[in-house]
Amino acid sequence: MSSPTSDPDLVRRFMNRPIHSPSTGGSNPGGAAVVRTPFGEKKPSSTVTPTTPSRLGPGSAFQPTWSGPENASPAMSLVGQYANASNRSPAATAGEQDQENQYPSSRIRTRTIEPDEYESTRKKLRDTQYELSSTKTELERKIVTMEQAARESDILKRKLMARVDSLESDRRFLYEQEKSLTKKVQTLEEDSIHSKTASNEIIKNLRDENMSIKDRLSQLQEESREKQSELTQRVRTLTASLNHQQQTLAETQDSSHSQSSLVAEKHQKLAEALDRIMELEDQNRQLKLNTRGMEDVVRVQKELQNQVAYIKQLEGTNRQLTAECKHLKDTYRNVEVLKEEKLSLEQKLKLMDDLRVKCGKFEVQNGVLLKEKEQWAAFLEKSDRTDFNSPYELAKTVATLRGDKTALMEVRDEFQEALKARDAYIEQVEQQLSELKTRLVEQEEICSKQSSIARRHEMTKDFALRQVESLKEQLKSYDMEEVQLMGGTYENQKNIRIEQLEKLIQECQSKLESMAATANRATEESSVGSAATLALLQTIQDQSSVSFNKLSAEKQALVESKLALHNELELLRKENASLDAKVLEHEIAIGAGAFNPAVSRVLEIKDSPAARYQAIRQQMLDALKEENAALLQSLTDLQQQQPSGHIFGQQQSAFGDHEVALQDKNVVPIASYNRLLGDFKRLQEEFADNDKRSKRLKQSWTLKADEFLDAVRSLLGYKVNFLDNGRVELISVYNAEEQQSFVFTSGQNDEGTMQLVGSGSQKYMEEHKESFDHWVNQLGSIPAFLSRVTLDLVEQQAHQLREEQQQHDQHPPHYRLFQSLADDDDTQNSDMMVDP
Amino acid sequence: MQQQQRPTSSRNQITLRGSTKVIVEFFEYCINSLLFQRGLYAPEYFKMTKKYGLNMLVTNDPEVKSHMREILKQVEAWLMACKVEKLILAIKSKETMTVLERWQFDIHNTKDQSSTINATTSTDPFSRPLAGQDSTPTTTTSSLSSPSKPKPEKTEKEIQTEIQAILRQITASVSFLPMLDEKCTWTILCQTEKDAEVPATWSDADPHLVHNAEQVKLRSFSTNLHKIDALVAYRLNDDL
């Protein structure tokens, strides 16, 4: 690289380097790439570039290789090559260069074998040597020119240096100047800052003053306003009084006018009179002078007297008028007094108004109390005495009524007990009666038995008498027979016998008599017994009548008590009604949530949503309170820090230092930070909640969307897939293969129109090209096209099914596969059936 | 529960445990339904399920679900101990914390009349603790009550029909209740007897009275042991 060699390639390289890449670093991979690429057209002045690659021979190794296909643009591949080269590591490029160095020598070695070639190369060498020399000379020339140029440039440089020096000095001078200026500026700035602060202070002071002045002004304005209002009030009153006075004045003026006119008249007259007096005096004098008769004087004197009298009269009227004027003044004073009175009355009126308001209040209170009273009286009916003056009385009467009631109840109980005792007694008596009755019946039975026995005895007596008769007749007949037959042999015997028989008869008779007597006695006894029973009955009757009387009396009493009880019942009913009303009231109260704390308790879970919310609110409130307290504290601190003095000034300064105060870190208390933290947390929770909600919504939306897609699938026979870019893929459910699909995209600007942009497979698209042309291109209906496709597919499937069945008849195992496919379809169809 | 009973008992008897279960289930669905209908949670917090022959909306929010489960578990325990008097769902305004609506379910224990019949006739395993619990009144009263004609036992279907009716009525009641146009929150109160056992998670609470209340009595339903009366009290708008 340092010295030119005979190798043409090396020469070329030597020549190339300085020209093509002025920065001959050599290690730069970019530089290496530049060497390899023929950028001759960029540097037409180069002498080496005309050498063709064929002349270079081994230079073909440096030719760029095209990796791309032939029709690709060369520029592109060149760029690629360049990039490749640039990517290469420096070491790699160094290796390449070594290879390049070695390569030509090996070539020369091989070429020495052939003499022709040697000749030609020698020739070439000569040519190149010539070229080299020419280029050398040229180069030398160039060097000379370059040296000249260098010298020129040196001169130029020197000149420039000189200029630079001058400029440097200038610059230094300027720098110094600038320094001084900056210093000045700094001082000025400081001054300005000082002045600013001073002016700020002044401004502050002025503001303070301004504020104070303003406040004073406002105060003064207020005062003036007050005064103005006061004055206007006074003016008003004064004008009113003035008016009044003017009126009175006008009146008085009128009167005085009339009086003055009178006075003027009088004056005139007086003047006239005086004139006349003067005249008369003159005349008098003249007369005196003339000393003419006294008659005139007398006349004049008379006239004078008249005049004097007249004047006196005038004076009297004048006095009268002044008196009148005085009187009017008095009346005016009276008017003033009346005004005062009026004011006092107005005040009284105000008081009365207050009283009226109070009265209204009392009326309201009265209404409330009346309502209360009505409520008290609500339990009482109209017919009841509602003239209770106080609930106390009512309560008292209720209490007394209750007492009465209990007393009456007791009385009733007593009566009931007495009644019960009576009932028991009556029962006893009745029992006695029934006993007696049974005894009577028994006695009567005995009696009847006795009488029947007596009758039987009588009958036996009759029978015995008849027997005696018959026996007597028998005896007689026997006697007769004996007399006739025996002739009295058995007379004695017979007599004895008769006597015996007679005795027997007598005995019988006595017996009979005794029997009759006993019978009689028995009847007598029985009659005596019945009498006894009768007497008993009588006594019982007597007793019962007595008891009846008693009972009736008791009944009376009971009726009375019944009445009393009835009244009580009424009372109780009323009470019941009122209690019902109370029960209703209580029911309503219970419905509203009231309960009896003595019996039951209301429990609540501590962690209820309401409690949670309350707790959050409480927390917020506490935090705010804390913050408020802290802020107040800091505010008071700030106020204490301010110089105490003029209130307005303080306010002003507080206002002015507001910005400064905010910068103070103590101004924002920790409490507000905590509060903000709490707020933040709460908001985060809210956010999480919202997040949850939106997630739920999304879930429900996806569910709904799935449902919708299912509905579309089962109703329209297409599975809809939404692809990116807003494209929609439709896959017919009658298509077993996934890639057989249509892809639609929405039209320009999302107008809702769809365009078919492709399908899963080209073949599928071509299959339906005809129907697409017909339905979409001609009739402009995509749904119709899709329906057509569906129909085709269904028909195809049906056809296939038929074929399969036919095949199945021959080959049964195939059936199963198709059956499963048909089953799938069945499910789809069933979906369709169910969904509507 | 009922299915378990079927093989053991010829008639569908609902014992205390069974009755409690029915009631708790009713409360669960009822409260869920109310939470949905009164708009306390957004509709997406609910999913539809079929129950009592109706489409019921039940929350699917895990927080609300677990909260409800906790409450109902305790209510069930109290019901088993016969200590519950009322269950109340109070709806409150978030802003003012005033009670706007109060759904009250009165629970009447009709055990005293019917348990005797149950105890004597039941062969159900669940009725054993009950029978042991009040064995003395059973023996004394059964002899008295047996000659009197026992009430016909309610079948599961009858109870379900009653529950269906009450739930329908609750759904319909939305039409007359005032609109809840402010943000609301809710709480469940349980009115128990004084001597009920109270776990630590529960505490005595404000009865949540409704002021200026209008109330509407709803239908009731009863099992063989309990009778549930429903009532809604709601705050009338003052400006109306």
Side-chain angles (χ1 to χ4, degrees):
Chain A
M1 272 193 215
S2 56
S3 64
T5 58
S6 59
D7 198 302
D9 202 278
L10 281 175
V11 170
R12 194 188 68 85
R13 288 184 67 167
F14 175 71
M15 293 309 291
N16 258 350
R17 263 221 192 135
I19 294 158
H20 280 281
S21 56
S23 60
T24 51
S27 65
N28 185 11
V34 169
V35 171
R36 233 174 281 130
T37 48
F39 281 143
E41 65 268 23
K42 271 193 179 174
K43 295 269 181 184
S45 61
S46 162
T47 52
V48 185
T49 40
T51 57
T52 55
S54 62
R55 273 184 72 195
L56 288 171
S60 62
F62 299 107
Q63 264 196 346
T65 54
W66 312 115
S67 61
E70 292 173 350
N71 55 352
S73 75
M76 268 291 278
S77 50
L78 241 182
V79 169
Q81 187 71 9
Y82 188 84
N84 275 338
S86 64
N87 283 336
R88 256 176 246 167
S89 65
T93 48
E96 269 175 9
Q97 278 168 4
D98 287 347
Q99 232 177 0
E100 281 161 21
N101 286 340
Q102 286 163 4
Y103 197 65
S105 63
S106 69
R107 286 289 253 190
I108 289 159
R109 233 183 288 137
T110 50
R111 276 171 200 179
T112 49
I113 303 160
E114 290 157 55
D116 295 346
E117 253 181 63
Y118 179 74
E119 276 301 309
S120 67
T121 38
R122 274 191 75 162
K123 202 179 171 186
K124 262 185 201 171
L125 187 70
R126 238 175 284 136
D127 286 352
T128 45
Q129 267 175 349
Y130 171 71
E131 253 177 67
L132 189 68
S133 63
S134 67
T135 46
K136 230 179 189 176
T137 51
E138 211 173 318
L139 266 171
E140 271 163 12
R141 195 159 45 89
K142 230 177 189 178
I143 285 160
V144 169
T145 52
M146 288 293 263
E147 271 171 0
Q148 211 172 341
R151 236 171 281 132
E152 275 171 23
S153 64
D154 226 32
I155 292 157
L156 213 94
K157 186 188 148 196
R158 234 168 269 152
K159 269 185 199 170
L160 282 167
M161 282 298 278
R163 219 177 142 194
V164 160
D165 282 343
S166 68
L167 282 169
E168 188 82 0
S169 63
D170 281 359
R171 195 180 67 86
R172 222 165 280 147
F173 172 71
L174 283 168
Y175 177 70
E176 269 164 28
Q177 252 184 346
E178 197 201 327
K179 234 182 208 173
S180 65
L181 280 169
T182 48
K183 259 181 201 169
K184 268 184 195 171
V185 163
Q186 262 175 352
T187 50
L188 280 170
E189 268 177 0
E190 274 165 23
D191 283 354
S192 75
I193 284 161
H194 280 301
S195 62
K196 226 182 203 174
T197 48
S199 65
N200 267 343
E201 268 171 41
I202 289 161
I203 285 165
K204 216 185 276 176
N205 290 339
L206 284 171
R207 264 189 203 158
D208 289 355
E209 271 175 36
N210 191 14
M211 202 63 185
S212 64
I213 285 162
K214 266 184 189 169
D215 277 316
R216 214 175 284 166
L217 184 71
S218 61
Q219 212 179 353
L220 283 169
Q221 271 176 346
E222 231 165 274
E223 273 174 28
S224 74
R225 224 170 288 139
E226 273 172 33
K227 268 183 186 168
Q228 211 178 349
S229 61
E230 223 174 284
L231 285 168
T232 46
Q233 191 75 20
R234 271 172 70 183
V235 163
R236 225 171 283 149
T237 51
L238 284 169
T239 45
S241 62
L242 192 73
N243 282 340
H244 200 75
Q245 280 174 349
Q246 270 174 349
Q247 246 175 347
T248 49
L249 195 72
E251 279 169 28
T252 47
Q253 266 176 352
D254 282 345
S255 57
S256 66
H257 259 294
S258 55
Q259 283 170 9
S260 59
S261 60
L262 269 171
V263 166
E265 230 174 282
K266 299 282 155 70
H267 270 290
Q268 218 172 345
K269 276 182 184 173
L270 199 67
E272 277 172 22
L274 281 171
D275 283 349
R276 272 180 74 185
I277 286 165
M278 289 292 279
E279 262 175 53
L280 287 169
E281 272 179 359
D282 283 346
Q283 276 180 0
N284 200 12
R285 226 173 287 143
Q286 275 176 349
L287 283 169
K288 269 181 186 169
L289 286 169
N290 294 337
T291 61
R292 272 202 301 210
M294 289 294 285
E295 281 170 27
D296 285 346
V297 175
V298 169
R299 203 175 51 202
V300 165
Q301 265 181 343
K302 237 182 217 174
E303 247 175 74
L304 196 70
Q305 267 171 359
N306 280 348
Q307 285 297 329
V308 166
Y310 186 64
I311 284 160
K312 265 178 191 166
Q313 199 187 338
L314 277 176
E315 274 174 356
T317 50
N318 201 11
R319 221 173 292 135
Q320 212 178 331
L321 282 169
T322 47
E324 220 170 292
C325 200
K326 238 180 229 170
H327 175 70
L328 282 169
K329 269 178 189 167
D330 284 346
T331 51
Y332 176 69
R333 228 168 278 144
N334 279 344
V335 164
E336 285 289 307
V337 170
L338 282 170
K339 260 185 195 169
E340 285 291 318
E341 269 178 23
K342 193 189 142 200
L343 271 175
S344 69
L345 282 169
E346 269 175 0
Q347 256 170 339
K348 268 184 190 171
L349 197 70
K350 252 182 213 168
L351 280 173
M352 286 304 284
D353 275 341
D354 285 350
L355 278 172
R356 206 179 296 151
V357 168
K358 266 186 194 170
C359 187
K361 269 183 200 168
F362 281 129
E363 265 175 12
V364 169
Q365 268 184 2
N366 194 21
V368 170
L369 286 169
L370 275 175
K371 222 182 203 177
E372 207 176 317
K373 200 190 165 189
E374 264 172 37
Q375 277 177 345
W376 276 108
F379 300 131
L380 304 165
E381 280 176 19
K382 271 178 192 167
S383 57
D384 286 332
R385 287 185 301 131
T386 50
D387 52 347
F388 293 116
N389 289 330
S390 66
Y392 170 72
E393 239 173 83
L394 183 69
K396 203 171 147 191
T397 46
V398 166
T400 50
L401 282 171
R402 271 186 195 148
D404 285 357
K405 191 187 123 192
T406 46
L408 283 168
M409 287 279 270
E410 272 171 25
V411 166
R412 197 191 68 175
D413 285 349
E414 271 173 28
F415 274 127
Q416 269 178 348
E417 267 170 34
L419 202 66
K420 257 183 208 166
R422 289 284 142 74
D423 277 347
Y425 182 65
I426 285 165
E427 216 169 285
Q428 209 185 327
V429 165
E430 269 176 0
Q431 215 173 343
Q432 250 180 349
L433 198 73
S434 64
E435 258 176 47
L436 284 169
K437 269 181 186 168
T438 49
R439 265 176 71 186
L440 189 69
V441 168
E442 271 171 28
Q443 290 288 344
E444 271 173 359
E445 267 175 23
I446 290 166
C447 219
S448 65
K449 266 184 197 168
Q450 293 279 354
S451 62
S452 68
I453 287 166
R455 231 176 288 139
R456 219 189 308 145
H457 279 298
E458 264 175 24
M459 271 162 75
T460 50
K461 188 189 153 193
D462 285 347
F463 185 68
L465 279 172
R466 245 180 274 154
Q467 227 177 347
V468 168
E469 289 283 318
S470 68
L471 279 171
K472 270 182 182 169
E473 272 170 26
Q474 264 184 352
L475 193 65
K476 264 175 200 171
S477 66
Y478 177 73
D479 278 345
M480 293 270 277
E481 267 178 42
E482 223 184 5
V483 167
Q484 284 167 355
L485 291 168
M486 301 259 178
T489 51
Y490 294 105
E491 191 77 19
N492 292 334
Q493 276 182 344
K494 186 193 86 184
N495 283 337
I496 294 160
R497 179 83 184 137
I498 286 163
E499 273 169 17
Q500 275 178 347
L501 283 170
E502 273 176 353
K503 266 182 192 171
L504 213 141
I505 285 161
Q506 268 172 354
E507 271 173 30
C508 275
Q509 268 179 345
S510 64
K511 236 183 190 174
L512 199 70
E513 270 169 14
S514 68
M515 284 287 277
T518 54
N520 277 343
R521 218 182 299 144
T523 50
E524 270 172 22
E525 265 180 23
S526 71
S527 68
V528 166
S530 65
T533 50
L534 270 172
L536 196 72
L537 275 172
Q538 196 72 35
T539 52
I540 286 165
Q541 263 183 349
D542 288 349
Q543 271 182 351
S544 65
S545 70
V546 167
S547 65
F548 180 75
N549 282 341
K550 261 191 197 171
L551 281 170
S552 64
E554 267 174 32
K555 192 192 153 195
Q556 198 74 25
L558 282 170
V559 163
E560 275 169 19
S561 70
K562 189 197 152 195
L563 272 174
L565 284 169
H566 190 74
N567 285 340
E568 209 178 318
L569 188 72
E570 278 296 308
L571 215 74
L572 285 169
R573 256 185 207 148
K574 270 174 209 166
E575 209 176 311
N576 198 18
S578 75
L579 284 171
D580 273 348
K582 246 185 207 173
V583 162
L584 194 74
E585 215 176 298
H586 282 147
E587 258 182 15
I588 286 167
I590 285 166
F595 71 105
N596 184 7
V599 179
S600 47
R601 58 199 289 193
V602 168
L603 296 163
E604 184 183 15
I605 196 157
K606 278 175 189 164
D607 187 32
S608 73
R612 229 176 288 162
Y613 183 73
Q614 181 102 35
I616 287 167
R617 271 182 71 162
Q618 192 59 46
Q619 208 178 323
M620 269 166 73
L621 189 71
D622 287 347
L624 281 169
K625 266 184 189 166
E626 208 178 314
E627 190 189 346
N628 192 23
L631 281 169
L632 279 172
Q633 183 61 41
S634 64
L635 195 68
T636 47
D637 287 353
L638 269 171
Q639 274 176 349
Q640 276 170 3
Q641 277 171 22
Q642 297 303 321
S644 59
H646 212 265
I647 292 167
F648 306 118
Q650 199 174 7
Q651 276 179 355
Q652 172 63 23
S653 66
F655 185 74
D657 294 348
H658 185 63
E659 284 166 27
V660 183
L662 270 180
Q663 283 162 8
D664 195 342
K665 60 186 173 184
N666 289 331
V667 164
V668 178
I670 190 84
S672 65
Y673 170 73
N674 284 340
R675 201 260 305 161
L676 281 171
L677 214 68
D679 273 8
F680 176 67
K681 221 177 265 175
R682 202 162 38 72
L683 284 170
Q684 261 182 340
E685 271 166 27
E686 216 167 281
F687 178 73
D689 208 42
N690 278 333
D691 216 33
K692 197 164 76 174
R693 217 177 130 185
S694 70
K695 213 180 271 174
R696 289 240 171 83
L697 266 177
K698 269 179 199 160
Q699 274 174 6
S700 55
W701 282 338
T702 45
L703 276 175
K704 206 77 204 160
D706 285 350
E707 215 175 290
F708 172 70
L709 285 177
D710 266 8
V712 166
R713 184 178 62 82
S714 40
L715 287 174
L716 301 177
Y718 282 97
K719 205 171 121 189
V720 182
N721 288 335
F722 291 98
L723 306 174
D724 48 349
N725 286 340
R727 287 181 302 159
V728 181
E729 187 186 37
L730 291 177
I731 299 166
S732 177
V733 293
Y734 300 103
N735 245 336
E737 294 161 50
E738 277 288 308
Q739 72 267 25
Q740 295 190 346
S741 61
F742 299 110
V743 179
F744 290 89
T745 184
S746 58
Q748 288 277 307
N749 305 325
D750 254 355
E751 289 156 338
T753 54
M754 297 298 276
Q755 291 170 343
L756 187 67
V757 291
S759 68
S761 70
Q762 201 69 26
K763 190 182 143 218
Y764 187 63
M765 196 62 220
E766 273 165 17
E767 258 177 50
H768 299 290
K769 198 168 171 39
E770 263 180 50
S771 54
F772 183 77
D773 273 340
H774 180 255
W775 292 108
V776 180
N777 291 348
Q778 288 176 27
L779 297 176
S781 169
I782 288 169
F785 164 65
L786 293 175
S787 310
R788 179 72 254 166
V789 171
T790 307
L791 280 173
D792 283 350
L793 285 168
V794 170
E795 274 169 15
Q796 209 176 313
Q797 222 168 50
H799 184 69
Q800 224 171 342
L801 186 76
R802 246 176 279 131
E803 268 183 12
E804 290 283 341
Q805 263 176 343
Q806 280 168 7
Q807 275 182 4
H808 165 68
D809 293 341
Q810 294 150 9
H811 312 285
H814 283 284
Y815 178 71
R816 197 173 291 278
L817 196 141
F818 193 76
Q819 182 66 39
S820 64
L821 205 136
D823 278 346
D824 284 348
D825 281 345
D826 274 349
T827 54
Q828 280 158 12
N829 287 338
S830 67
D831 277 353
M832 279 173 74
M833 296 295 278
V834 168
D835 277 347
Chain B
M1 180 72 205
Q2 274 79 39
Q3 282 161 354
Q4 281 177 356
Q5 279 182 355
R6 222 166 261 150
T8 54
S9 144
S10 57
R11 287 187 291 168
N12 274 338
Q13 284 174 354
I14 297 172
T15 57
L16 180 61
R17 196 177 285 273
S19 175
T20 302
K21 205 126 192 172
V22 167
I23 289 163
V24 167
E25 198 177 48
F26 163 73
F27 282 147
E28 186 187 347
Y29 280 98
C30 191
I31 290 164
N32 263 306
S33 181
L34 283 170
L35 290 183
F36 170 73
Q37 270 156 13
R38 304 310 290 145
L40 287 156
Y41 292 100
E44 56 266 18
Y45 278 75
F46 295 89
K47 66 174 191 290
M48 200 175 272
T49 49
K50 204 115 178 148
K51 185 76 190 173
Y52 306 121
L54 295 168
N55 282 329
M56 302 298 295
L57 281 145
V58 179
T59 183
N60 55 5
D61 186 73
E63 210 175 305
V64 179
K65 245 184 189 169
S66 71
H67 179 61
M68 201 112 80
R69 208 172 299 135
E70 196 185 345
I71 289 169
L72 290 174
K73 209 174 149 192
Q74 187 52 47
V75 170
E76 192 172 348
W78 277 327
L79 272 170
M80 285 303 289
C82 301
K83 295 290 182 203
V84 194
E85 291 173 352
K86 276 166 196 174
L87 192 84
I88 297 135
L89 171 69
I91 296 173
K92 300 157 83 176
S93 158
K94 269 189 177 176
E95 189 58 42
T96 57
M97 276 292 165
T98 49
V99 184
L100 301 176
E101 267 174 40
R102 198 172 189 279
W103 295 83
Q104 183 174 304
F105 300 94
D106 294 2
I107 300 161
H108 301 291
N109 216 336
T110 53
K111 186 189 85 184
D112 301 334
Q113 295 102 46
S114 52
S115 69
T116 54
I117 302 158
N118 263 335
T120 47
T121 54
S122 172
T123 53
D124 193 277
F126 294 116
S127 67
R128 264 173 218 155
L130 174 70
Q133 188 186 316
D134 45 14
S135 56
T136 39
T138 307
T139 46
T140 50
T141 52
S142 62
S143 57
L144 290 169
S145 61
S146 52
S148 67
K149 203 177 159 189
K151 263 202 228 162
E153 299 265 328
K154 264 193 175 165
T155 62
E156 190 191 334
K157 198 166 181 184
E158 282 170 352
I159 293 167
Q160 223 181 53
T161 317
E162 282 182 5
I163 291 176
Q164 195 181 343
I166 198 169
L167 285 168
R168 271 185 208 283
Q169 206 183 19
I170 286 169
T171 309
S173 64
V174 176
S175 59
F176 66 75
L177 289 170
M179 288 278 286
L180 297 174
D181 41 13
E182 48 193 319
K183 279 192 175 180
C184 291
T185 182
W186 59 284
T187 184
I188 285 176
L189 307 171
C190 201
Q191 187 176 325
T192 63
E193 283 172 22
K194 201 80 182 170
D195 54 346
E197 267 181 52
V198 181
T201 48
W202 289 68
S203 64
D204 283 303
D206 177 66
H208 286 73
L209 296 169
V210 187
H211 299 286
N212 191 18
E214 184 84 352
Q215 23 187 296
V216 176
K217 243 190 154 105
L218 302 173
R219 279 167 187 274
S220 55
F221 82 93
S222 59
T223 65
N224 288 315
L225 299 186
H226 294 104
K227 183 165 183 285
I228 311 293
D229 286 325
L231 181 143
V232 55
Y234 55 94
R235 189 188 157 92
L236 272 183
N237 281 341
D238 304 324
D239 51 341
L240 283 178

